[in-house]
Amino acid sequence: MKGLRILVFSLAMTAIVATSCGNPPKVAQGTVIRYEAASQTLVLKSDEQTNPEFTFSLEGAEVGAEPAENDQVRIAYKDEGGRLVATRVMNLTRQKEMGQKSSH
């Protein structure tokens, strides 16, 4: 009986680890072409040459400083059936500005 409990526990833990590791987010970096706060969408001109423009949903994403046109941003995202859903948005432009203000 004790052996069965250990086996069931081990299988349950394996299943939890396997499902929680899932696909890690992808990362895109580039210049904001357009940000629409009302619809929580951001269009990014990627630094990569293969795919120059992406549209992301920021709904539910962790966003540092609000993005603005021409800001440089880095976005962690997942592709959910062709819809790019951001999980985190780091505004590199605003981060640099904040760093310069605090160093004066």
Side-chain angles (χ1 to χ4, degrees):
M1 188 68 166
K2 187 176 181 181
L4 181 59
R5 283 187 192 159
I6 292 172
L7 177 63
V8 169
F9 178 77
S10 297
L11 290 173
M13 292 305 294
T14 301
I16 289 170
V17 169
T19 57
S20 66
C21 290
N23 292 334
K26 298 176 184 179
V27 177
Q29 183 170 317
T31 305
V32 175
I33 296 172
R34 184 174 59 256
Y35 171 62
E36 298 171 5
S39 63
Q40 294 188 334
T41 57
L42 182 142
V43 180
L44 180 80
K45 181 177 183 208
S46 175
D47 289 344
E48 295 179 21
Q49 298 300 321
T50 56
N51 226 348
E53 256 186 50
F54 294 100
T55 300
F56 295 94
S57 168
L58 303 189
E59 192 172 334
E62 182 181 320
V63 180
E66 187 168 298
E69 190 175 315
N70 294 319
D71 282 354
Q72 289 290 310
V73 296
R74 183 176 299 139
I75 301 176
Y77 69 96
K78 294 193 178 216
D79 186 334
E80 296 181 356
R83 181 172 175 248
L84 305 181
V85 179
T87 56
R88 285 193 174 149
V89 179
M90 184 187 332
N91 191 324
L92 304 174
T93 301
R94 304 285 178 229
Q95 194 172 20
K96 284 181 190 175
E97 290 173 359
M98 295 303 290
Q100 289 172 351
K101 287 179 185 177
S102 65
S103 64
H104 291 285

